[in-house]
């Protein structure tokens, strides 16, 4: 039996913390986010032939009605519905935990203050208030952005139509971006940003281009000049584009006339970066943050991931930098930074895709102040947006958008 993904961070956790990890990571379906339940037929955990576990309802929904086969949402193995079996061990484990909680005066739960680390620092009181998407609605999502005051959430993923727009409540509003190289089509979308006037900007690594659409999906412009492999994209308050080129090692600054659909200016603002990917622009200070992925020729890259964060001023002067190794010295955890964003106060936020966490690094002028913000219900966060005292996080681990707020009422789950 394999449940994707497995429990994390158990080495230094208390017994209550371990029990909570079991409940979150083993006893809920990672497609629909519903708890397994042996009393409800559709919620019973079922083993797929590949070893992963889904609830019966999701197996039925994902399988072909005639062929009775489905692709495992985690490992992509083709599985026969007739070869699935009831996962008795998870039912027994759930029954055991229920019996324990009914007799214990202190049932397992997550502390109100959030995830406690061995350093003694605790996260702010951010709680999961909504989650939507799931396999099928989103497939291996890679980029997220939010459209201004409307709160419309834009995600790029590997589905048939690569760009999906959701309401703040998780209802699918629109989707566009058919796979292909023609005008208005996308080959391999990586990241997405939105402009103040409501345009959607997508980096297409397959076509080595940046493609601009209206929010309704109408193609406005394709920018291909000088790009070798565009990756991350952000917009400043004027609607100008900041695009990282992972192969050229460059941050490009692009000015566009969206009304006429023409490029006004396109130049390299920063060169000699090492595999830059994620990029963010602070709407308060207008500083730009870029995440570099450093290479280590002496070790396999899958064993020694090393990232460096650089923050530049509005005129692209380097203000400060830090890297994953330096940040590890401030904590007992080895950080694997991937995504980056700014909050409303100008603090730098980063995703930790290995530990499934969101960290605040502060404003960095006097050095980073490492503070965990979110550590619950995240698997592999790859992107985030800070908006109205909320964090909107893209979790590629279970193909979902997750919204965290300071409210104490948790557990609201919306399925698009």
């Amino acid at each position: 039996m394999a449940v994707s993904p497995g429990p994390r961070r158990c080495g230094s956790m208390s017994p209550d913390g371990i029990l909570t990890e079991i409940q979150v990571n083993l006893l809920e379906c990672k497609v629909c986010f519903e708890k397994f339940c042996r009393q409800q037929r559709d919620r019973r955990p079922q083993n797929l032939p590949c070893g992963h576990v889904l609830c019966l309802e999701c197996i039925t929904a994902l399988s072909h009605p005639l062929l009775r086969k489905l692709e495992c949402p985690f490992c992509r193995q083709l599985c026969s519905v007739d070869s699935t079996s009831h996962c008795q061990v998870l039912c027994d484990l759930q029954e055991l935990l229920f019996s324990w909680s009914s007799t214990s005066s202190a049932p397992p739960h997550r502390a109100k203050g959030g995830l406690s680390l061995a350093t003694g620092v605790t996260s702010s009181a951010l709680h999961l208030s909504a989650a939507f998407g799931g396999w099928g609605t989103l497939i291996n999502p890679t980029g997220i952005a939010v459209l201004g005051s409307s709160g419309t959430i834009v995600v790029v993923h590997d589905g048939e139509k690569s760009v999906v727009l959701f309401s703040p409540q998780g209802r699918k509003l629109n989707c566009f971006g058919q796979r292909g190289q023609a005008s208005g089509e996308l080959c391999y979308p990586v990241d997405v940003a939105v402009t103040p006037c409501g345009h959607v900007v997508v980096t297409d690594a397959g076509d080595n281009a940046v493609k601009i659409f209206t929010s309704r999906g109408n193609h406005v412009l394709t920018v291909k000049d000088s790009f070798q492999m565009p990756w991350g994209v952000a917009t400043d308050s004027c609607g100008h584009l900041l695009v990282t080129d992972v192969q050229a090692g460059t941050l490009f600054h692009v000015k566009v006339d969206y009304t006429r659909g023409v490029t006004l200016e396109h130049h390299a603002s920063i060169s000699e970066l090492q595999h830059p990917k994620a990029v963010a622009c602070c709407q308060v200070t207008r500083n730009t943050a870029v995440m570099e992925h450093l290479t280590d020729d002496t070790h396999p890259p899958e064993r020694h991931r090393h990232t460096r964060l650089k923050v530049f001023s509005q005129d692209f002067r380097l203000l400060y930098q830090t890297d994953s190794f330096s940040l590890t010295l401030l904590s007992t955890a080895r950080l694997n930074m991937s995504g980056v964003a700014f909050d409303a106060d100008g603090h730098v936020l980063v995703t930790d895709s290995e530990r499934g966490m969101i960290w605040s690094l502060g404003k960095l002028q006097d050095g980073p102040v490492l503070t965990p913000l979110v550590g619950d219900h995240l698997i592999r966060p790859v992107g985030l947006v800070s908006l109205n005292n909320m964090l909107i996080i893209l979790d590629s681990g279970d193909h979902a958008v997750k919204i965290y707020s300071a409210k104490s009422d948790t557990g609201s789950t919306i399925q698009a």
Side-chain angles (χ1 to χ4, degrees):
M1 177 191 73
V3 179
S4 182
R8 315 177 310 273
R9 308 187 296 271
C10 292
S12 59
M13 296 182 64
S14 66
D16 281 358
I18 293 174
L19 289 175
T20 302
E21 287 294 319
I22 291 174
Q23 289 180 324
V24 171
N25 289 291
L26 293 180
L27 299 182
E28 72 174 25
C29 176
K30 290 304 179 183
V31 173
C32 66
F33 312 115
E34 295 289 342
K35 295 292 184 184
F36 292 129
C37 180
R38 66 189 305 173
Q39 284 78 29
Q40 299 180 35
R41 183 177 182 275
D42 288 343
R43 296 294 173 213
R44 292 176 184 171
Q46 297 290 116
N47 289 310
L48 294 177
C50 61
H52 292 107
V53 179
L54 279 66
C55 72
L56 183 58
E57 183 177 50
C58 286
I59 289 178
T60 303
L62 295 174
S63 61
H64 191 283
L66 298 178
L67 300 178
R68 292 182 59 79
K69 291 184 178 181
L70 73 153
E71 189 180 72
C72 173
F74 306 111
C75 68
R76 301 296 185 91
Q77 180 174 326
L78 188 64
C79 302
S80 170
V81 175
D82 298 327
S83 299
T84 62
S85 59
H86 178 58
C87 187
Q88 185 63 39
V89 64
L90 286 187
C91 287
D92 292 343
L93 179 59
Q94 193 173 46
E95 188 71 23
L96 180 65
L97 289 180
F98 177 79
S99 300
W100 185 90
S101 62
S102 63
T103 57
S104 171
S105 58
H109 63 282
R110 286 194 184 271
K112 292 268 185 171
L115 177 70
S116 294
L117 300 180
T119 56
V121 181
T122 58
S123 69
S124 303
L126 292 177
H127 303 269
L128 180 66
S129 58
F132 52 86
W135 181 262
T137 302
L138 295 174
I139 301 173
N140 300 327
T142 54
I144 187 169
V146 176
L147 270 167
S149 58
S150 70
T152 300
I153 298 168
V154 187
V155 177
V156 290
H157 71 132
D158 195 29
E160 182 179 349
K161 293 186 176 181
S162 303
V163 183
V164 186
L165 279 70
F166 297 98
S167 72
Q169 295 74 35
R171 182 169 59 89
K172 184 188 288 188
L173 302 176
N174 189 21
C175 58
F176 59 86
Q178 198 77 20
R179 190 178 297 277
Q181 292 182 297
S183 175
E185 296 182 335
L186 295 166
C187 299
Y188 189 82
V190 179
D191 199 10
V192 63
V194 294
T195 68
C197 57
H199 287 85
V200 177
V201 185
V202 181
T203 50
D204 189 341
D207 201 19
N208 296 327
V210 173
K211 299 179 179 180
I212 303 171
F213 304 85
T214 67
S215 60
R216 294 182 178 273
N218 298 320
H219 179 249
V220 175
L221 176 66
T222 293
V223 183
K224 300 190 74 168
D225 298 340
S226 305
F227 290 129
Q228 294 184 35
M229 186 175 289
W231 200 272
V233 61
T235 61
D236 63 18
S237 57
C238 298
H240 303 153
L241 308 182
L242 300 166
V243 183
T244 60
D245 191 315
V246 68
Q247 190 166 318
T250 303
L251 177 71
F252 285 98
H253 190 226
V254 184
K255 295 182 180 180
V256 173
D257 184 331
Y258 297 98
T259 303
R260 294 189 295 143
V262 295
T263 304
L264 301 177
E265 186 178 327
H266 182 176
H267 66 272
S269 296
I270 305 171
S271 301
E272 298 183 357
L273 296 169
Q274 293 192 44
H275 304 287
K277 290 188 177 180
V279 59
C281 183
C282 181
Q283 301 304 313
V284 178
T285 63
R286 298 190 179 181
N287 291 342
T288 299
V290 178
M291 191 76 70
E292 295 179 286
H293 291 249
L294 310 181
T295 57
D296 186 347
D297 296 333
T298 61
H299 298 94
E302 66 274 10
R303 291 184 55 193
H304 293 266
R305 298 169 181 169
H306 191 41
T307 51
R308 180 169 57 205
L309 176 68
K310 289 184 175 179
V311 179
F312 300 88
S313 65
Q314 183 180 357
D315 56 356
F316 302 107
R317 291 181 297 104
L318 181 64
L319 297 177
Y320 31 79
Q321 66 181 34
T322 187
D323 56 50
S324 54
F325 178 76
S326 299
L327 293 174
T328 298
L329 298 179
L330 300 177
S331 169
T332 58
R334 179 181 177 87
L335 270 68
N336 179 27
M337 297 185 294
S338 50
V340 62
F342 290 93
D343 68 10
D345 297 320
H347 296 112
V348 179
L349 311 179
V350 296
T351 63
D352 184 342
S353 57
E354 190 167 297
R355 290 175 58 84
M357 295 185 65
I358 307 298
W359 300 82
S360 171
L361 305 184
K363 293 187 177 181
L364 293 182
Q365 289 93 329
D366 302 317
V369 178
L370 195 61
T371 306
L373 296 180
V374 175
D376 293 342
H377 306 288
L378 285 180
I379 300 170
R380 191 175 181 273
V382 294
L384 75 158
V385 177
S386 176
L387 180 69
N388 300 331
N389 296 318
M390 298 187 302
L391 287 182
I392 304 172
I393 301 171
L394 184 63
D395 193 338
S396 69
D398 48 13
H399 320 278
V401 175
K402 298 176 181 179
I403 300 176
Y404 290 78
S405 66
K407 297 179 181 180
S408 60
D409 52 325
T410 61
S412 173
T413 301
I414 306 169
Q415 185 68 32

